[in-house]
């Protein structure tokens, strides 16, 4: 009985390590629940995407904070260091600050 428990816990650790590595690489992860195969959303690296987006900004820390908020809410960061905002749709383009200026860089 103890050997079965040890074997099951080792198998669980291997599965969790595989899911963790899949999430780090940005791959989709398949979740199998009672014979059904459900797809999870791909992992979005907001920190890395915003770092690239704000790399040439005059205030990179401020830009990264705003970009991170927009990335989490809209699930999108436009490519490049500026422009291309329409690619992310109205969620990204219509978000404003308290001063009624565009929030997302």
């Amino acid at each position: 009985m103890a050997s079965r428990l040890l074997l099951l816990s080792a198998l669980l650790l291997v599965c969790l390590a595989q899911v963790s590595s899949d999430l780090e690489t940005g791959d989709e992860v398949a979740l199998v629940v009672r014979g059904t195969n459900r797809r999870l959303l791909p992992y979005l690296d907001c920190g890395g995407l915003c770092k690239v987006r704000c790399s040439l900004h005059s205030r990179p820390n401020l830009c990264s904070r705003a970009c991170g908020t927009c990335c989490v809410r809209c699930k999108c960061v436009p490519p490049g260091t500026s422009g291309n905002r329409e690619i992310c749709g109205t969620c990204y383009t219509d978000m404003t600050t308290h001063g009624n200026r565009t929030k997302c860089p």
Side-chain angles (χ1 to χ4, degrees):
M1 182 67 176
S3 62
R4 277 189 179 175
L5 185 59
L6 184 61
L7 181 62
L8 285 174
S9 62
L11 183 60
L12 179 63
L13 287 174
V14 169
C15 290
L16 289 175
Q18 180 62 41
V19 167
S20 176
S21 69
D22 286 348
L23 288 176
E24 288 173 3
T25 60
D27 295 338
E28 287 186 354
V29 178
L31 178 65
V32 179
V33 178
R34 293 188 185 150
T36 63
N37 190 7
R38 298 182 191 162
R39 286 290 210 202
L40 297 177
L41 292 174
Y43 175 72
L44 186 62
D45 179 24
C46 289
L49 292 171
C50 288
K51 186 176 182 179
V52 171
R53 180 76 176 170
C54 297
S55 62
L56 299 178
H57 198 274
S58 61
R59 299 180 66 191
N61 291 338
L62 181 67
C63 177
S64 292
R65 281 198 313 267
C67 179
T69 301
C70 296
C71 178
V72 168
R73 289 183 189 171
C74 301
K75 309 283 189 274
C76 183
V77 174
T81 56
S82 65
N84 305 319
R85 298 178 54 183
E86 65 281 352
I87 291 173
C88 287
T90 59
C91 174
Y92 198 89
T93 57
D94 293 348
M95 200 178 304
T96 58
T97 63
H98 292 291
N100 213 24
R101 291 186 287 169
T102 57
K103 180 176 185 72
C104 303

